[in-house]
Amino acid sequence: QVQLVESGGGLVQTGGSLRLSCSAFTGGNGVAVMGWYRQPPGKQRELVATITYGGLTNYARSVAGRFTISRDNAKNTVYLQMNSLKPEDTAVYYCNADVPRVGGRNNYWGQGTQVTVSS
């Protein structure tokens, strides 16, 4: 069973920075695409950023230029560096991972970590 363990959330003032980490425990399997999603209060979950095993990245327009996603393939760990944070970045942030299996991929979610940006 694959487990995603997140860390790094918290409370920060507008303009501040936070770094989220997510480690995927896969029993020895690698991870294909890893990403971060978020769910603001009262809203649906939305994409923040994704990164492929080869390092190709994709960002939501609302975070492009402020957030940076990166990964360490040897550790099956993905990071999200969040700079110039705004109150509208307040949300529960979820790690997501695609893990290859015979014939396809399985998708997994972390438990979520709260990020609160005060004005």
Side-chain angles (χ1 to χ4, degrees), residues 27-42:
N29 294 325
V31 182
V33 181
M34 300 189 79
W36 290 96
Y37 291 73
R38 67 186 181 186
Q39 187 165 13

Side-chain angles (χ1 to χ4, degrees), residues 3-83:
Q3 184 179 12
L4 304 182
V5 179
E6 302 154 345
S7 62
L11 173 64
V12 65
Q13 292 185 335
T14 296
S17 298
L18 282 175
R19 188 189 194 214
L20 305 183
S21 299
C22 171
S23 295
F25 297 92
T26 65
N29 294 325
V31 182
V33 181
M34 300 189 79
W36 290 96
Y37 291 73
R38 67 186 181 186
Q39 187 165 13
K43 297 184 179 180
Q44 292 186 338
R45 194 173 298 188
E46 62 187 20
L47 169 73
V48 176
T50 60
I51 184 168
T52 68
Y53 186 88
L56 294 177
T57 59
N58 179 51
Y59 294 94
R61 288 184 180 182
S62 59
V63 307
R66 299 187 298 123
F67 291 10
T68 302
I69 190 170
S70 61
R71 64 186 288 171
D72 183 335
N73 291 331
K75 298 180 179 179
N76 276 349
T77 298
V78 63
Y79 307 95
L80 186 68
Q81 178 66 42
M82 305 185 292
N83 298 328

